[in-house]
Amino acid sequence: MGEEKKILYSGMQATNTLTLGNYLGALKNWVHLSEDYTCFFGVMDLHSLTVRQNPTEFRQNAKKLYALYVAAGLSPEENVLYFQSHVSAHAELAWILNCFTYMGELGRMTQFKDKSAKHADNVNAGLFTYPVLMAADILLYQADAVPVGADQKQHLEICRDIAERFNGIYGDVFTIPEPYIGKAGARIQSLSDPEKKMSKSDENPNGAVMLLDDRDTVLRKFKRAVTDSESAVRFDPEKKPGVSNLINIYSSVTGKTKEDVEAEFDGKGYGEFKAAVGEAVADELAPLQKKYEKLMAEKSWLEERIRENDQKAAYCANKTLRKVKKKVGLTEP
Ligand code: TYM
């Protein structure tokens, strides 16, 4: 009998088109994981509801995200690519886990503090319990490994705490997930404010490169990227956050080491360096964008893959949910 592969779980919010940060920090690194793991990747549409959405745009964005997953190279035959909201077990387990999570630990989440400051007019309960839904996502599939960028580490830690607490009461119900540390690109910063992470919700439209930006837009955004008053292309995140971020991006895209990048641009000015980073990123995105356009033109193929994958996901998730319901003493229907 062949050795069973370990299980890996991750996903992205279905809010808008993805940023280069989502791509280099997550998506690009997911593509080869199915060689070593049984992979589940969700379109996290329930999480997106913590921010008010326009229903028509939201539906489109969720489908676009699915197409971007596939265009970036995630095969819907070799991975389980599905919609979170199509598997009702997520919401059900999240409720149960809410009852095993303390207000104090949720209040300590930095993302909650940041987001509630940013959306002060809509600090809803979903924003507060966001990490519990995320824990339900991961635990339903008995995931061993969860690849996430640095910004999501704290959420993974609380997921482990909740799972250990639950297992401590009811026995070994959940696998305790480990963070999966990817290679480069763990944290891509904003081009306009390199002290902040590159984010879809950046107020400055030049701060974030979007995956579907055309070539000219990509080049322009890199040309305007904030650097410093020196002119040396040197990796030093403390003193030179802007340039270091660009080196990080360039090295993630080209596969070159940071030292190689420094050597390549030794004695050359920032103008030349920024143009080269822009070109490299635009070249990386071009084939992905072409594939994306093709997929969006063949919607029925995508719809069929979504249906199949939703079923595969539901099968696994419901197995765990049935076990949890039994353990906590809910009656069977
Ligand atoms: P989301 O949609 O905010 O981000 C998706 C992934 O992209 C990474 N990321 C970045 N990496 C590097 N640099 C950046 N600037 C950058 N911005 C975003 C994130 O670390 C993440 O890996 N809560 C999750 C979605 C989620 C999830 C889950 C993830 C819901 N349930 C279960 C794993 C497991 C999130 O905020 O994704």
Side-chain angles (χ1 to χ4, degrees):
M1 219 170 69
E3 205 177 306
E4 288 257 330
K5 280 186 187 171
K6 289 201 163 184
I7 297 170
L8 182 138
Y9 190 94
S10 202
M12 294 192 182
Q13 287 199 56
T15 326
N16 207 323
T17 158
L18 301 182
T19 69
L20 186 65
N22 294 131
Y23 178 68
L24 295 179
L27 193 48
K28 184 176 157 78
N29 306 317
W30 294 352
V31 172
H32 298 293
L33 295 174
S34 65
E35 290 161 18
D36 298 320
Y37 293 89
T38 299
C39 294
F40 293 84
F41 297 109
V43 169
M44 299 311 192
D45 48 0
L46 293 175
H47 277 108
S48 306
L49 289 174
T50 52
V51 177
R52 199 74 69 236
Q53 303 287 343
N54 169 308
T56 310
E57 282 173 18
F58 181 34
R59 248 189 300 276
Q60 284 167 355
N61 283 337
K63 290 194 178 158
K64 284 182 185 171
L65 178 60
Y66 196 95
L68 277 175
Y69 278 1
V70 180
L74 285 183
S75 153
E77 270 105 23
E78 278 153 38
N79 301 277
V80 181
L81 305 184
Y82 75 103
F83 281 72
Q84 182 189 33
S85 69
H86 297 183
V87 178
S88 57
H90 289 254
E92 291 186 62
L93 182 62
W95 173 257
I96 296 174
L97 296 181
N98 267 329
C99 305
F100 292 84
T101 310
Y102 298 112
M103 304 284 283
E105 52 190 352
L106 289 175
R108 283 196 292 276
M109 296 290 115
T110 48
Q111 185 167 305
F112 171 68
K113 289 189 224 166
D114 290 350
K115 289 209 172 163
S116 39
K118 216 167 188 175
H119 305 283
D121 55 336
N122 184 18
V123 185
N124 58 70
L127 204 57
F128 191 62
T129 59
Y130 181 111
V132 185
L133 178 58
M134 187 163 156
D137 302 335
I138 296 166
L139 300 177
L140 274 176
Y141 298 89
Q142 305 289 351
D144 298 283
V146 182
V148 282
D151 61 321
Q152 295 295 317
K153 286 269 165 61
Q154 207 185 15
H155 288 165
L156 191 56
E157 273 156 30
I158 195 174
C159 169
R160 289 166 55 90
D161 291 344
I162 297 169
E164 276 166 3
R165 184 172 304 144
F166 195 94
N167 284 356
I169 306 170
Y170 300 106
D172 280 342
V173 178
F174 296 126
T175 303
I176 308 296
E178 299 286 341
Y180 176 93
I181 313 292
K183 286 167 284 172
R187 196 178 167 98
I188 303 297
Q189 303 295 88
S190 159
L191 298 186
S192 55
D193 180 357
E195 304 290 340
K196 288 200 303 212
K197 81 165 178 179
M198 185 181 283
S199 151
K200 296 164 196 176
S201 50
D202 204 319
E203 299 99 50
N204 185 336
N206 290 318
V209 174
M210 310 310 279
L211 285 199
L212 298 178
D213 278 350
D214 61 35
R215 190 172 199 94
D216 288 346
T217 309
V218 173
L219 296 180
R220 181 172 42 79
K221 286 181 178 174
F222 278 101
K223 202 168 159 190
R224 296 203 182 148
V226 168
T227 47
D228 52 60
S229 55
E230 292 183 6
S231 63
V233 177
R234 186 163 46 79
F235 190 75
D236 182 348
E238 289 283 306
K239 298 206 190 88
K240 298 165 76 71
V243 169
S244 303
N245 187 38
L246 294 177
I247 294 179
N248 197 15
I249 292 173
Y250 190 69
S251 107
S252 299
V253 169
T254 59
K256 295 176 185 168
T257 64
K258 297 193 170 69
E259 294 74 26
D260 286 345
V261 181
E262 286 175 346
E264 185 178 343
F265 293 96
D266 187 27
K268 295 182 182 155
Y270 286 164
E272 196 173 329
F273 176 52
K274 288 199 234 176
V277 183
E279 292 285 348
V281 169
D283 287 349
E284 168 96 5
L285 297 185
L288 184 155
Q289 293 175 350
K290 213 165 144 202
K291 185 146 180 227
Y292 170 82
E293 295 302 337
K294 199 159 161 252
L295 284 166
M296 291 303 280
E298 300 165 6
K299 282 225 179 75
S300 58
W301 184 85
L302 272 186
E303 300 288 349
E304 193 49 42
R305 300 289 85 69
I306 295 172
R307 247 192 308 280
E308 284 167 8
N309 279 282
D310 283 349
Q311 281 175 11
K312 286 191 207 165
Y315 175 81
C316 300
N318 286 328
K319 221 157 101 180
T320 302
L321 183 65
R322 275 196 301 275
K323 195 165 170 190
V324 168
K325 284 182 166 174
K326 201 165 167 191
K327 289 282 185 187
V328 298
L330 290 167
T331 54
E332 291 199 38

